[in-house]
Amino acid sequence: MQSQAYGRPARQPGRAAFAAFIGTTIEWYDFYIYATASALVFGKLFFPQGDPFYSTLASFGTFAVGFFARPFGGLVFGHLGDRIGRKKALVATLAIMGIGTVGIGFLPVYAKAGVLAPVLLVLLRVAQGIAIGGEWGGAVLMAGEHAPKGKRTFLASFAQLGSPAGLILALLAFRTIGHLPPEAMMDWGWRVPFLASAVLLFVGVVIRAGVSESPEFLSFNERSKPARLPILDVLRNAWSTVLLCLGANVIGVAGAWFLNTFMLNFTTETLGLDRALILDCLFVVAFVQLFNQLIAGWLAQRIGAGRFLAWAAALAMLSPYPMFILVSTGNPVAIVVGIAIAVMCMSGSYAVMAGLMTEAFDVGVRYSAISLSYQSCAAMAGGLTPLIGTILAHAWPGRWLPLALFYSSLAAISLLCLRGLQRRDGASQSLSTVAMSE
């Protein structure tokens, strides 16, 4: 169903939430297969060093490059989304992500192309970063701005479901090719998950084409003229809110990459556990995350986003200690339970932050504002987390306490910034009673 008269745009809450979920699933699948490949094979294929530590560090360095490109993507597509519409920006980001990912699948490796191979890898990784940088804000807004009163927190969380769903697809892809002989895996097997993205790209574009533009954006454009440079309005009038939202996102963003990417390398390289075993464990945990985020969005809508997020951040501070104790046993059930404990706290925060940020900024600059907050957090906290984890693991070999303390500090930053948002004038109502404020 398309929009009605320009001044009375139709809401499509179900379709918009589903399209946000499918779109972000595809984007995160592309991002996660790169993350998984960087932990497992890219070090040997593109950065063949004598010391595995430096190969892994270089591989995670290219992984971080994608995060550093995300704020740029957020600024570009945030501007376009606030000026010409959320839908057009989202279709463009999906296309860029698909091209970048499929391109990686065709790359020559270092043994055949020399230094050109890692250079091309970095360039395509930048394209991925720009795409995901623009994608997140638009997907969240399309789901949230189509939502009826009282359901924005819950429906906006559907965009966040794309992260665990994309992880499930990525792990499924690597579990499938993981049964190949090592020679075939390193020769051509690793390319299959990247080339498969072409099919997902087509599906995503078709689904997104069926959703009408955001009704709030259309109504705002009828009443007001869009800002010439929305980001300048954000920096002039809401810079402190941007910084607090950035900090509040830390555990949801950095925690995801610590648990889903760094832990894959830590368990295989430091603890010496079997790669297939860890992939299987993370596969099970991804389903835990998917269902936990659904429950978190529903629960936060009922009890208040601020209260829920504060509890999630506080519990996240405690979660790495039982996780490392259980993971260090090497028992598959203990590994799943340990990582799942941390993932439930982290993903609860991740799911609910989307709706909270949608409420924090005016509709005319909302795409730019939430993209700046979230993607800047991703560049700093998300991109650097696997690198810092690798350095800590190398500095204290076999000891997990420094890693647990690092994770706790990430959660503490989020908790402090959430408290800062609650203390702001007018913020308490939107944080603790989002459903009522709608």
Side-chain angles (χ1 to χ4, degrees), residues 222-266:
E222 186 185 48
R223 300 189 310 269
S224 308
K225 184 178 180 180
R228 184 176 181 181
L229 289 173
I231 192 62
L232 292 183
D233 285 2
V234 173
L235 295 175
R236 186 184 305 117
N237 302 317
W239 63 269
S240 60
T241 304
V242 167
L243 290 177
L244 289 172
C245 285
L246 186 160
N249 271 293
V250 165
I251 188 56
V253 173
W257 299 108
F258 186 98
L259 298 171
N260 295 322
T261 301
F262 169 72
M263 285 298 290
L264 177 58
N265 180 263
F266 176 77

Side-chain angles (χ1 to χ4, degrees), residues 418-436:
L418 283 165
R419 293 303 188 193
L421 283 168
Q422 288 178 311
R423 286 194 296 267
R424 289 180 57 83
D425 292 338
S428 179
Q429 183 181 5
S430 64
L431 288 169
S432 61
T433 57
V434 170
M436 294 178 61

Side-chain angles (χ1 to χ4, degrees), residues 112-304:
K112 293 185 177 180
V115 71
L116 180 63
V119 169
L120 292 175
L121 180 67
V122 169
L123 290 176
L124 291 176
R125 179 61 176 164
V126 169
Q128 281 192 321
I130 291 173
I132 199 70
E135 156 73 18
W136 182 85
V140 165
L141 294 185
M142 284 292 278
E145 292 178 351
H146 272 279
K149 292 183 180 300
K151 292 187 177 181
R152 173 164 291 179
T153 296
F154 177 61
L155 291 180
S157 72
F158 274 67
Q160 305 293 68
L161 291 175
S163 179
L167 176 61
I168 289 169
L169 292 179
L171 290 174
L172 185 61
F174 272 91
R175 286 176 76 247
T176 301
I177 64 173
H179 296 292
L180 293 171
E183 298 79 12
M185 173 70 168
M186 300 301 287
D187 183 27
W188 59 267
W190 68 270
R191 300 179 185 274
V192 174
F194 291 90
L195 298 178
S197 180
V199 178
L200 298 177
L201 171 64
F202 175 77
V203 173
V205 170
V206 170
I207 291 174
R208 280 204 167 151
V211 182
S212 62
E213 182 56 87
S214 158
E216 287 192 29
F217 173 79
L218 293 177
S219 295
F220 173 82
N221 271 12
E222 186 185 48
R223 300 189 310 269
S224 308
K225 184 178 180 180
R228 184 176 181 181
L229 289 173
I231 192 62
L232 292 183
D233 285 2
V234 173
L235 295 175
R236 186 184 305 117
N237 302 317
W239 63 269
S240 60
T241 304
V242 167
L243 290 177
L244 289 172
C245 285
L246 186 160
N249 271 293
V250 165
I251 188 56
V253 173
W257 299 108
F258 186 98
L259 298 171
N260 295 322
T261 301
F262 169 72
M263 285 298 290
L264 177 58
N265 180 263
F266 176 77
T267 51
T268 55
E269 297 294 332
T270 301
L271 300 182
L273 300 179
D274 182 67
R275 180 179 64 186
L277 169 66
I278 301 305
L279 286 173
D280 286 344
C281 292
L282 290 177
F283 185 66
V284 174
V285 172
F287 282 96
V288 175
Q289 180 178 347
L290 180 68
F291 291 110
N292 182 67
Q293 287 189 201
L294 270 174
I295 295 170
W298 174 83
L299 183 60
Q301 186 74 69
R302 299 183 69 86
I303 70 172

Side-chain angles (χ1 to χ4, degrees), residues 28 31 63-77 97 125-136 253 257 350 371-372 374-380 382-383:
W28 282 114
F31 222 66
F63 174 70
V65 164
F67 281 91
F68 298 146
R70 285 172 65 169
F72 177 74
L75 288 175
V76 171
F77 288 101
M97 177 63 91
R125 179 61 176 164
V126 169
Q128 281 192 321
I130 291 173
I132 199 70
E135 156 73 18
W136 182 85
V253 173
W257 299 108
Y350 178 72
S371 294
L372 178 63
Y374 182 82
Q375 303 306 342
S376 296
C377 176
M380 292 183 284

